[in-house]
Amino acid sequence: MPIRPYLALLAGLAWPVAAHHAFSAEFDSQKPVMLNGRVAKVEWLNPHARVYLEVKGAAGAVTTWELQLASPNVLMRQGWSRDSIKRGDVLTVNGYLARDASHVAAARTIRFADGRVAEFPSNGDGGPVK
């Protein structure tokens, strides 16, 4: 039996594993951040759902931050849906900055304007608990 079809199958199975990364590869657990702003966009995609938050700086300039959450599957198991966070929602987010100094962070706690709080302890990525 030819081995080539099996190699292709194994390569295809390995791709999703290679696409995921450890927390420490992208984020710095020594650099916590707190952001407050309005949701510009929500992406409910694998490997991580993302929220784009428009944050006004001290000088009044608005910067859009990409906030990484758990995978949609993990979020759904926690009771989330695509409509849990909507465009226009005002959020306060605690998380950890990306290592590359971009406007990207791993979200750990989200506080909604109505007082609700959602926590993403570690997303299974090896990052800090909160």
Side-chain angles (χ1 to χ4, degrees):
M1 186 176 281
I3 196 163
R4 288 183 200 255
Y6 294 108
L7 291 175
L9 175 64
L10 287 174
L13 291 175
W15 176 79
V17 174
H20 195 264
H21 54 84
F23 176 91
S24 61
E26 189 172 353
F27 302 101
D28 189 338
S29 64
Q30 301 303 308
K31 294 186 179 175
V33 64
M34 184 174 77
L35 303 165
N36 188 320
R38 187 171 304 276
V39 174
K41 178 176 153 183
V42 178
E43 291 181 338
W44 194 259
L45 303 169
N46 283 316
H48 299 280
R50 290 175 172 78
V51 173
Y52 294 86
L53 196 67
E54 295 175 337
V55 177
K56 190 179 287 191
V62 175
T63 302
T64 301
W65 282 78
E66 176 186 322
L67 304 171
Q68 192 176 97
L69 306 176
S71 71
N73 190 31
V74 168
L75 293 173
M76 287 187 293
R77 285 196 308 257
Q78 293 176 350
W80 287 71
S81 74
R82 290 179 180 267
D83 297 323
S84 294
I85 298 177
K86 295 178 280 312
R87 187 170 188 244
D89 284 350
V90 175
L91 307 176
T92 299
V93 180
N94 289 293
Y96 296 92
L97 293 174
R99 289 190 173 277
D100 66 3
S102 61
H103 292 104
V104 177
R108 289 302 194 240
T109 305
I110 296 177
R111 181 175 301 277
F112 292 82
D114 65 6
R116 289 178 293 139
V117 176
E119 292 185 350
F120 307 95
S122 76
N123 298 336
D125 59 10
V129 175
K130 285 188 186 177

